[in-house]
């Protein structure tokens, strides 16, 4: 399971937005649109450990 480190630990900021926050937005958007994803994309996400993609 992925865990979000503190912003100080991530150290990756672009224009004031942490890279971890961008990842969170990507995951949220992908999960909400999962009905539109292809089977291969869902399989790839499941292999990365995303339970909702299985």
């Amino acid at each position: 399971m992925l865990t979000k480190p503190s912003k100080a630990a991530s150290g990756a900021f672009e224009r004031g937005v942490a890279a971890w926050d961008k990842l969170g937005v990507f995951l949220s958007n992908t999960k909400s649109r999962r009905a539109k994803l292809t089977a291969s994309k869902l399989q790839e996400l499941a292999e990365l450990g995303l339970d909702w993609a299985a």
Side-chain angles (χ1 to χ4, degrees), residues 25-46:
V25 169
F26 166 78
L27 291 173
S28 177
N29 288 344
T30 303
K31 185 176 181 181
S32 67
R33 299 174 184 148
R34 65 180 170 243
K36 296 180 182 180
L37 295 176
T38 63
S40 62
K41 291 292 183 186
L42 287 170
Q43 178 63 32
E44 290 179 34
L45 292 169

